[in-house]
Amino acid sequence: MVNSHASFDATALIKLAERVEYEAWLLEAVYVLVEQELFPSWPDAVVYPVDRSKAQFFAHARGNIVIGDWRPGFLNAGAPLVFVSTFKLLDMLVEWILEENGVPSTFRFQQKLKSVKGSPIFPPLIESRVWLKERLIGLYSTLEPLRGTIIHGKHFTATDGAIRVSASKNGVVGPVVEIDPAHLRKLALTIVSVLRYVDGTWEIDQVREKILRHDLDELAMLHALPPLGQKRPFHTCVRLYLTSSDPLRFDPMTIREDLAARYVDQDCSFDLRILMVRGSEVAEAYLLPWALFAVEGAEWKQRIDLQQYRTVIPSDIQPEHLRSGAG
């Protein structure tokens, strides 16, 4: 019997966070170990030096090229572990949702799949996004038999970080499903992200929702649903050096246009780091979030309490960016 009054209250969210804590930590730790963090942070990628209207663009990447390093080999060999741990996270989310709906607990995956395809109430973040709900169910349906093969069967191989696996039940072996390293990482990233949104660790915003939609499009071969059509999001932090007395003396539309021209066919957005230059050094710093600029128009200035966006002065300031005429 489904409980139509599932509350997903604070106690329930704590239970979810405790339930998934280890597997979520394990997945993040594995990718940190091989220097492919699921959620890396990057330096400011676009810089407007003092008194210059032309932006400088910087590309950042991580690499691990160490002769004899065992870490890439670890991820290659550990791909099945990553897959099974990712599915377990999704399974625990499904179990938690069903329990909150009053569905009796069971170890039978097919029974859980049948129940979740029924009419349970999902937590508000998922329930209000039908596209997300459908794709999580699609992933659960596709991944469960593959997980069974890896745990109990022999119809899979793991080579160069990729998994090639066939569902096998009752003596029937299905077609080979190949999950390459990039899609395996994307799968882990997506499930961990959803859990963080659901348990309140992260707040989903416009940018994160677009990233989630795009990531699910890239996993279409695993959830077997039509693409959502989300263009690849590009979100960065723009650094703007100003010598004026007014920290808001700039046009965000100019920045939007510069990003759109540089990153064609991508859905661009930005946070803005404003560095106020006095003499030959930075005296003040502010960090304005994308939400202020997401809607076009000049009225954004009227709703800013600038002091709430004051931040620390970064330590990676380049002297040439402080000189007028820097190109």
Side-chain angles (χ1 to χ4, degrees), residues 97-136:
I97 290 170
L98 294 178
E99 288 172 8
E100 290 300 305
N101 279 268
V103 177
S105 179
T106 178
F107 293 107
R108 297 174 62 87
F109 288 110
Q110 287 304 307
Q111 184 59 48
K112 285 185 281 190
L113 180 58
K114 180 179 179 181
S115 297
V116 83
K117 284 184 174 180
S119 302
I121 302 299
F122 279 61
L125 181 134
I126 301 175
E127 188 70 28
S128 62
R129 295 168 173 83
V130 176
W131 54 270
L132 176 55
K133 181 177 180 178
E134 292 175 341
R135 281 154 183 79
L136 289 175

Side-chain angles (χ1 to χ4, degrees), residues 241-274:
Y241 290 88
L242 292 177
T243 56
S244 70
S245 59
D246 180 9
L248 300 183
R249 190 176 180 181
F250 64 90
D251 183 4
M253 275 304 301
T254 299
I255 300 174
R256 291 172 68 127
E257 291 167 359
D258 287 348
L259 289 176
R262 176 76 176 193
Y263 303 103
V264 179
D265 295 328
Q266 297 188 47
D267 195 327
C268 298
S269 57
F270 62 92
D271 298 326
L272 181 63
R273 192 185 312 276
I274 301 172

